[in-house]
Amino acid sequence: MKIRVTINGKSYSHDVEPRLLLIHYLREVVGLTGSHVGCETSLCGACTVELNGKAVKSCTMFAVQADGASVVTVEGLATDGKLHPVQEAFWNEHGLQCGFCTPGMIMASKQILDRTPKPTEEEIRHGLEGNVCRCTGYQHIVNAVKAAAAGAGK
Amino acid sequence: MIPQKFEYTAPKTLDEALLLLAAGAKPLAGGMSLIPMMKLRLAAPEHLVDLGKLKDLNYIRETDGTLHIGATTTHAEIESSPILRKKCPLLAETAAAIGDVQVRNMGTIGGSVAHADPAADYPAALQALEAKLALKGAKSDRIVAAADFFVDAFTTALQPNEIIREVIVPVEAAGTGTSYQKMFHPASGFAIVGIAARVRKKAGNIALVRIGVTGLSNRPYRAATAEKALEGKLGSATEIQNAAALVAKGVDANSDLHASAEYRRHLAVVHAARALMTALARTA
């Protein structure tokens, strides 16, 4: 089936099988390997991307469902070599260890801040419920989201 | 985890979708339950009809004292809807308790209710709200009460060629407090047990109590005995405990590796007391 998807501002058109998952489309067809395949059962959130401005798990969606949509992956956040404030904050606050969950964490964190520019710690933790991290114990991730919120508007 | 091959159609209109369903296709809404099942090959539909892009099923409207929620309205849209938060806060609170942000962004009320997972959240609220479901097929259009809709685990009153068109809930009357309390499954977020409570006070007394229970058994239900025990009372802590103690009475409770039947019954009583207490406090 022919689909047309805008990914990180660039338009793509491909002929895909309906059963191709969005994450596999992004990684294997388009070649954007920033979004990761973690659990593949829609629990871990490593595959989180933005679909028309909403954070979704791209392992639990078919590429054909994204026909006509606009997708943003972690590769689409930095502009002109300058990191997105959330990426910057993850770096500064050491919001990662192995980094595997980080692309999904960053996309979920961006959704929190898009909806709640000044979130409480509870709101941050609630907003990250769909993302699992095996290394950090979450504290540095929460700190990173707080730092990104504090830094925005400076 | 690659699903079996299937044909995919994204119709532009509801009528087009209903014709395809009548011809044997399976509806896809948000896909939060169906796609994982397809990946595990527990489901292998030959033809999927994507309802997710149908604009005429995505709405929240008020007409004549009732609220109408289109089937493809997402949990996130319900959770954040100003009209639902004000006029039917129980439904908004329940939507906010589903899964996680990403699931709520994709999952739809029609899809969740039609799937009828015994651990789903909405059924508790729909029972407590005495909601109605508008079902539509290519040649049919009918209304079914939530009390009659859920037949068994993953089994509903829907005919194979029908979909849920909309969910109908009442505008809460003044003096009503509501609450949804659940025990989250730590990984999936599903309700091991979930209790939705509505309490209405009139002249200091409790005039109406509705309690919806999900997760405990294969079928969500209204705990009528517990409701009656509290109606007409003032709502003291003892009265609430006594009523809550009745929610699981005579119910064939599910048992699995997450929770035994005995533990589920215990959770039902604890969460019923919490839901009733919170709802009562919100009547003011």
Side-chain angles (χ1 to χ4, degrees), chain B residues 227-239:
Chain B
E227 293 172 356
K228 281 204 190 75
L230 199 54
E231 280 176 351
K233 301 274 166 49
L234 289 166
S236 70
T238 315
E239 286 166 349

Side-chain angles (χ1 to χ4, degrees), chain B residues 19-240:
Chain B
L19 286 175
L20 290 165
L21 295 174
K26 179 151 178 79
L28 169 70
M32 295 296 98
S33 294
L34 181 58
I35 295 175
M37 285 173 71
M38 288 173 68
K39 286 164 66 176
L40 294 167
R41 301 210 176 190
L42 294 170
E46 286 175 14
H47 189 177
L48 278 190
V49 177
D50 191 351
L51 307 177
K53 291 176 185 173
L54 288 179
K55 291 275 179 286
D56 40 359
L57 285 180
N58 186 295
Y59 55 84
I60 298 168
R61 285 185 203 127
E62 182 183 355
T63 39
D64 307 325
T66 49
L67 296 157
H68 301 255
I69 301 132
T72 62
T73 309
T74 64
H75 313 323
E77 286 163 345
I78 290 171
E79 162 188 17
S80 62
S81 154
I83 175 165
L84 288 178
R85 289 170 77 122
K86 183 159 177 262
K87 300 192 171 184
C88 190
L90 179 59
L91 200 66
E93 187 184 359
T94 303
I98 297 172
D100 51 52
V101 180
Q102 292 95 322
V103 166
R104 294 195 293 274
N105 279 341
M106 280 298 281
T108 70
I109 188 166
S112 172
V113 174
H115 185 55
D117 193 306
D121 296 288
Y122 283 127
L126 298 186
Q127 297 292 349
L129 290 163
E130 297 175 86
K132 294 189 175 79
L133 301 157
L135 312 183
K136 193 157 172 55
K139 286 177 189 156
S140 64
D141 205 345
R142 61 188 180 119
I143 307 269
V144 174
D148 302 323
F149 180 79
F150 298 99
V151 177
D152 206 337
F154 306 106
T155 309
T156 69
L158 277 169
Q159 294 299 309
N161 59 353
E162 278 181 322
I163 58 156
I164 296 175
R165 180 169 56 81
E166 66 176 22
V167 176
I168 306 161
V169 293
V171 171
E172 285 297 2
T176 312
T178 60
S179 173
Y180 179 61
Q181 300 287 330
K182 74 188 266 197
M183 174 75 178
F184 287 83
H185 180 277
S188 70
F190 269 103
I192 292 176
V193 165
I195 310 275
R198 293 167 72 214
V199 177
R200 190 171 302 151
K201 266 192 144 178
K202 224 171 185 175
N205 276 345
I206 294 176
L208 174 133
V209 181
R210 292 291 179 265
I211 303 169
V213 183
T214 190
L216 187 64
S217 62
N218 277 350
R219 223 182 127 258
Y221 63 94
R222 250 181 69 194
T225 325
E227 293 172 356
K228 281 204 190 75
L230 199 54
E231 280 176 351
K233 301 274 166 49
L234 289 166
S236 70
T238 315
E239 286 166 349
I240 285 177

Side-chain angles (χ1 to χ4, degrees), chain B residues 207-283:
Chain B
L208 174 133
V209 181
R210 292 291 179 265
I211 303 169
V213 183
T214 190
L216 187 64
S217 62
N218 277 350
R219 223 182 127 258
Y221 63 94
R222 250 181 69 194
T225 325
E227 293 172 356
K228 281 204 190 75
L230 199 54
E231 280 176 351
K233 301 274 166 49
L234 289 166
S236 70
T238 315
E239 286 166 349
I240 285 177
Q241 282 302 339
N242 290 343
L246 300 171
V247 291
K249 217 162 188 167
V251 175
D252 189 10
N254 282 340
S255 181
D256 55 29
L257 86 158
H258 309 304
S260 67
E262 189 192 359
Y263 181 50
R264 268 198 169 80
R265 265 196 285 271
H266 167 74
L267 288 176
V269 172
V270 169
H271 286 80
R274 283 182 195 165
L276 288 167
M277 202 79 87
T278 312
L280 188 65
R282 289 174 179 169
T283 54

Side-chain angles (χ1 to χ4, degrees), chain A residues 40 55 57 59 111 115 131, chain B residues 1 3 39 100 102 105:
Chain A
E40 258 195 293
K57 291 178 179 173
C59 81
Q111 176 91 101
R115 290 181 175 174
N131 295 72
Chain B
M1 287 203 290
K39 286 164 66 176
D100 51 52
Q102 292 95 322
N105 279 341

Side-chain angles (χ1 to χ4, degrees), chain A residues 74-123:
Chain A
V74 71
E75 288 98 333
L77 295 185
T79 43
D80 302 326
K82 196 175 175 310
L83 291 180
H84 184 277
V86 175
Q87 291 174 307
E88 188 81 43
F90 268 71
W91 186 349
N92 291 338
E93 297 296 325
H94 197 57
L96 61 141
Q97 280 183 32
C98 85
F100 192 87
C101 72
T102 312
M105 282 290 176
I106 286 178
M107 296 311 290
S109 301
K110 179 175 178 290
Q111 176 91 101
I112 296 171
L113 297 174
D114 285 348
R115 290 181 175 174
T116 326
K118 296 283 170 218
T120 61
E121 173 154 346
E122 198 187 337
E123 284 169 331

